Amino acid sequence: VAVFGNNIYKALDENYEYSPDLRWESVYAQEIGVEFNAFKNRLHVEANYFNKTTKDLMTYAARGLGLKDKLLNGGSIRNWGEELSASWNQNLSKDFSFTVSGNITFLKNKLLSLSDELATAYLGRGFQNNGSAEARTAIGQPIGSFFGYVVEGIYQSYADILKSPPAGALGAYRPGDFKFKDVNGDGIISADDRTVIGNPTPDFTYGGSVNLNYKGFSLGIDVAGVYGNEIFRTWGSLESPFQRVNYAAFQTGAWNGEGTSNFVPLVSQGDRFNYNGSSYNIEDGSYFRLRNLQIGYGFGSALLSKYKISSLRLFANVQNLKTWKNNYGYSPEYGGDATAFGFDNGGNALPRVSTIGINVTF
C-alpha cells in the first residue's frame, strides 16, 4: 500500500476474483487416425477423427457494474471433427519436379452445460453485446452463435403494418422499416422472437500449395479458405460512424416507396427500429484466398564459380494477392474472443505485400 496524507491506496490488487470451489478442467478425448505413404513415397496421406469434451471448463465471468471478473468452472463443451491432409511429390525429369499438397479440417462445437454461477453472470446470461448485435453461447448451440431477429421483408405500406403482428415493443416503425418474423407465434414481435441467425465457426477450413521447379526456375503458390460460416456486419446497418458520415454502396438500393425494395430498409437516422440486430446483418463468411505467390530463379554453379559465389537467387513474392469472398467488408476474417467473434465493425483491411529480393551466398 501507499499512504498520501490521510489516504491509503492499494499498490497491488487482484485482477479478478476466483471461485472458492475452483478445480482443474477435465478433458475426455478420443482420436483415431491413419497415416501412410504409397507409390514409392510420392503420395503421403494423414487422416484423423477427433472428439473432445471439456468438463469443468475454466472461464472468466464478466459480471459488469464495476465488479471484477470471476474465474470459475463454467460448464462443459464438445469439439469434434475430421482432419485430412495429402501431398504428392514427383521428379518428372532431371530438370522438372513438383510438389502438390492440400489439407481440410471439419470442425463442430457445442455447449453441453452451463454452471449455475456462470448462468447468473453477464456471460452466463448467454450473450455478449456488440452494439445491438449479440453473440450467444447457449446450451445445445455452437459457441458464439449470432442471435437476433429474422427479417421477413420490408413494410411496404401502412396496410401492410396493420395486417402484420404488432412490433411496438421494439420502438416506433413505419413503411420502409424491417418486418420481423414472429418466431414464437404469440402474435406480437418482441425480444422473445430473437433466435440463432448465424454461426461464426466454419463448416470446414482448407488450404493447399503447389511448388514447381524447372532447371533454375521455381514457382510457389499457397492458397487457403473457409466455408460455411457467417459474419455479423455492424456497419451500414447498425448505428455507427458510417451511418452518420456516409452510406454503403448497397444502400443505394434502399426502400424509397412501395415496391422499391424488400430487403434494404429506408435510409434514415431517425428509424432506430432498424438498428435491432437481425438476419439483415448476416453475411456469408466463406472465402478463397491466393495467399502467397513466389517466382524465383537460381543461377547455376558453373556461372557463379567464376565470381566465387556459392549461390545466387532472384525472387519476387506477393502476399494476399487476391481474395474471392461474399461479404461487403474489407476482409472476410474477423477475430474476437472465445465467445464473441466474427463481427465486422468496418475495419480489418488486409494489405497486399509485394517483395523483390536477391539471396547471395559466398
Side-chain angles (χ1 to χ4, degrees):
V1 296
V3 179
F4 294 91
N6 295 323
N7 299 316
I8 300 176
Y9 298 91
K10 288 184 178 181
L12 294 175
D13 192 19
E14 293 180 339
N15 190 41
Y16 58 87
E17 296 181 7
Y18 62 89
S19 171
D21 300 321
L22 188 67
R23 56 191 178 275
W24 290 109
E25 296 177 349
S26 299
V27 178
Y28 301 84
Q30 304 87 39
E31 184 172 350
I32 183 171
V34 60
E35 180 179 356
F36 64 87
N37 293 324
F39 303 105
K40 298 181 179 180
N41 293 325
R42 288 195 293 267
L43 174 66
H44 178 74
V45 176
E46 294 183 29
N48 294 280
Y49 169 79
F50 59 92
N51 186 356
K52 176 183 175 182
T53 299
T54 303
K55 298 183 178 181
D56 297 325
L57 179 69
M58 296 177 67
T59 186
Y60 293 100
R63 296 179 294 170
L65 300 177
L67 298 175
K68 295 178 182 178
D69 292 355
K70 189 171 185 178
L71 180 63
L72 46 78
N73 298 106
S76 59
I77 60 171
R78 180 189 174 207
N79 293 277
W80 73 100
E82 303 81 31
E83 298 175 326
L84 175 65
S85 64
S87 63
W88 181 282
N89 63 85
Q90 186 168 357
N91 296 322
L92 296 179
S93 69
K94 68 176 184 177
D95 294 325
F96 182 46
S97 65
F98 71 91
T99 300
V100 180
S101 64
N103 62 82
I104 187 169
T105 299
F106 299 87
L107 175 64
K108 294 182 177 67
N109 64 67
K110 182 169 63 174
L111 181 68
L112 301 178
S113 65
L114 199 64
S115 70
D116 292 339
E117 190 172 8
L118 186 60
T120 60
Y122 176 67
L123 291 181
R125 294 203 300 271
F127 64 87
Q128 286 194 7
N129 280 328
N130 190 325
S132 298
E134 288 186 9
R136 291 213 168 195
T137 299
I139 295 174
Q141 297 292 342
I143 294 171
S145 296
F146 299 130
F147 197 79
Y149 298 94
V150 176
V151 174
E152 289 191 307
I154 302 292
Y155 291 116
Q156 298 298 322
S157 64
Y158 283 104
D160 191 7
I161 291 176
L162 291 174
K163 68 181 182 181
S164 301
L170 307 186
Y173 59 102
R174 59 175 172 159
D177 289 336
F178 285 135
K179 181 193 296 184
F180 296 130
K181 182 177 181 179
D182 181 13
V183 172
N184 63 3
D186 64 357
I188 61 172
I189 306 299
S190 67
D192 294 334
D193 291 304
R194 291 178 298 173
T195 186
V196 173
I197 54 177
N199 180 5
T201 301
D203 293 338
F204 59 85
T205 62
Y206 59 93
S209 65
V210 177
N211 292 282
L212 306 175
N213 294 282
Y214 178 70
K215 293 185 176 180
F217 292 96
S218 63
L219 172 65
I221 302 173
D222 293 319
V223 299
V226 305
Y227 176 82
N229 63 305
E230 280 81 42
I231 294 169
F232 197 113
R233 171 178 44 80
T234 62
W235 61 269
S237 48
L238 303 181
E239 187 176 18
S240 70
F242 291 89
Q243 196 81 333
R244 297 183 183 278
V245 180
N246 206 346
Y247 294 97
F250 64 82
Q251 289 179 308
T252 57
W255 188 93
N256 58 73
E258 187 170 352
T260 55
S261 174
N262 202 36
F263 181 69
V264 182
L266 56 81
V267 176
S268 168
Q269 280 293 309
D271 290 61
R272 302 184 65 85
F273 184 86
N274 298 322
Y275 292 168
N276 290 292
S278 68
S279 56
Y280 175 71
N281 307 98
I282 299 298
E283 297 182 337
D284 183 2
S286 304
Y287 71 88
F288 175 78
R289 174 174 294 142
L290 185 52
R291 188 170 58 182
N292 197 74
L293 174 65
Q294 185 173 110
I295 300 174
Y297 180 78
F299 292 86
S301 57
L303 175 63
L304 298 177
S305 60
K306 300 178 182 179
Y307 305 100
K308 297 181 180 181
I309 298 176
S310 298
S311 65
L312 174 61
R313 183 174 182 271
L314 304 176
F315 69 91
N317 187 86
V318 182
Q319 299 178 29
N320 305 318
L321 179 60
K322 175 68 177 177
T323 300
W324 290 266
K325 60 186 182 65
N326 300 310
N327 66 306
Y328 287 113
Y330 293 119
S331 168
E333 293 181 291
Y334 298 94
D337 58 38
T339 57
F341 53 98
F343 289 98
D344 177 4
N345 294 317
N348 208 40
L350 194 66
R352 179 183 299 165
V353 181
S354 300
T355 307
I356 298 175
I358 178 172
N359 292 327
V360 183
T361 304
F362 294 93

